[in-house]
Amino acid sequence: MNVSVQMLLALSLTIGVYLLAEQLYIRAGRTSLLHPVIVSIFTLMGVITLLGWEYPEYQRDTQFIHFLLGPATVALAVPLHENMALIRKMALPLMVACVTGALVAAGSAVVLSALWTGDEVLALSMSAKSITTPIAIGMADSLGGSGSLAAGLVLLTGAVGTLLLPTLMRWCRLHDDALHGFVLGVTAHGFGTAQAFERSFTCGAFAGLAMSLTGVVSAFLVPPLVPFWVGCEWVG
Amino acid sequence: MVFGFFILITYWLAGEALSQWIGWPIPGNVVGLVLLWGTLTVLKKVPKGLADASSGLLRYLTLLFVPAGVGLIEHWDRLMANGLWMLLIIAVSTVSAALAMIGLFKLFRVERR
């Protein structure tokens, strides 16, 4: 790796902007619209445009940060293992719900994107919209979609989910904290999990478990189904 | 800590090798996650070094998405052209998935009283 001034500048800018965004998020009362990732991404887009950098250069210079997503994804096995003890009695219905939720979320997004926009890259990237970002980026890339677009769609899904789901679950009278958290984790990944922890510890732990399970289940089940979903438009 | 990092990289390697060998489009790091999860289930405990390395990485997990997220700048035209559709699709799909799950919970009476 050739260390250049531009590379160090890109790394310091990325980390610095992120730390500032985190402070802003905490001071603004942790609203998901000001999530540090959202604020950092848009700020850095502005910064690299002002500096006249092309994205591929920035991407190369920040490879070190991106690389850490690999081991971090493997590390998700640790909280997953620790939280599995929670679901002993409810394991079967929760697994069925997780698989159903993951497939409905991915399938409906892919089919609707193909039908309404006819944009294939968008449809392929939409398949990863409800799963946790580290897994979503890899999955979208290996399907022929775009990891960056998937990252953006995941953030949007998280923000939309945390805005709509609490009301939806109140209307449906789903009051059990464990199930409430589970639905948030499956449909709104890390954003849902953060919101669930504000409700109660149980709610948060179930959301975290649901988030990791959904990521794993989707990575295995969704890729073989995607060509079929995308094909709906051209066949139908 | 270094031991934990060693474990994470080795499992990633094993996952990447396995996923290329099977030829299924699953990211190698997810296969590594499943292999490590299986190992921890058999061991029934998390080695200290691994617990340290993983909590260190996961504490700042969201920072790690930022470089990929900035790549959204290359999809600016797509966002401008289809942004509202994307928002609508995401809302419809999220609500459908949540309703399907809530329906299952009511059907099988999973809710605790």
Side-chain angles (χ1 to χ4, degrees), chain A residues 121-170:
Chain A
V121 175
L122 176 65
L124 292 173
S125 311
M126 272 283 187
S127 66
K129 77 163 202 337
S130 301
I131 62 184
T132 184
T133 318
I135 300 180
I137 293 173
M139 192 171 111
D141 275 335
S142 58
L143 274 171
S146 149
S148 293
L149 184 56
L153 295 171
V154 170
L155 294 172
L156 208 54
T157 304
V160 169
T162 49
L163 288 174
L164 296 180
L165 293 169
T167 314
L168 181 72
M169 286 194 273
R170 205 166 42 244

Side-chain angles (χ1 to χ4, degrees), chain A residues 142-232:
Chain A
S142 58
L143 274 171
S146 149
S148 293
L149 184 56
L153 295 171
V154 170
L155 294 172
L156 208 54
T157 304
V160 169
T162 49
L163 288 174
L164 296 180
L165 293 169
T167 314
L168 181 72
M169 286 194 273
R170 205 166 42 244
W171 285 349
C172 294
R173 296 173 203 285
L174 189 77
H175 301 302
D176 186 330
D177 271 13
L179 300 182
H180 188 108
F182 203 80
V183 173
L184 279 174
V186 169
T187 51
H189 53 88
F191 278 55
T193 304
Q195 194 185 57
F197 269 114
E198 285 167 18
R199 186 176 161 112
S200 73
F201 180 78
T202 310
C203 193
F206 273 82
L209 172 72
M211 170 185 82
S212 316
L213 272 181
T214 306
V216 171
V217 163
S218 305
F220 280 86
L221 297 183
V222 168
L225 292 170
V226 163
F228 175 73
W229 290 333
V230 174
C232 282

Side-chain angles (χ1 to χ4, degrees), chain A residues 18 37 41 44-45 55 67 73 75 77 81 100 105 108 119 121 129 133-134 142 146 148 172-173 175-176 178 219-220 224, chain B residues 12 24-27 33-34 40 54 58 62 65-69 71-73 75 78 85 93 97-98 101 104 106 111-112:
Chain A
Y18 176 83
V37 181
I41 287 173
L44 285 164
M45 279 178 170
Y55 177 68
F67 169 81
T73 306
H81 166 74
T100 310
S108 60
D119 180 344
V121 175
K129 77 163 202 337
T133 318
S142 58
S146 149
S148 293
C172 294
R173 296 173 203 285
H175 301 302
D176 186 330
F220 280 86
Chain B
W12 182 14
W24 206 345
I26 306 167
L33 186 175
V34 173
L40 293 176
S54 67
L58 296 178
T62 50
F65 313 153
V66 172
L72 209 52
I73 202 167
H75 296 279
R78 192 171 252 129
W85 282 119
S93 152
M101 294 176 71
L104 281 173
K106 300 280 178 193
E111 205 158 1
R112 297 168 304 181

Side-chain angles (χ1 to χ4, degrees), chain B residues 12-30:
Chain B
W12 182 14
L13 167 68
E16 204 71 56
L18 195 63
S19 113
Q20 285 190 13
W21 181 57
I22 300 175
W24 206 345
I26 306 167
N29 50 17
V30 183

Side-chain angles (χ1 to χ4, degrees), chain B residues 75-97:
Chain B
H75 296 279
W76 202 249
D77 296 341
R78 192 171 252 129
L79 284 177
M80 291 298 115
N82 284 325
L84 286 176
W85 282 119
M86 291 183 197
L87 212 54
L88 183 66
I89 291 164
I90 285 175
V92 170
S93 152
T94 301
V95 169
S96 316

Side-chain angles (χ1 to χ4, degrees), chain B residues 35-46:
Chain B
L35 294 174
L36 182 58
W37 182 22
T39 311
L40 293 176
T41 310
V42 174
L43 282 179
K44 291 197 165 67
K45 64 172 185 116
V46 182

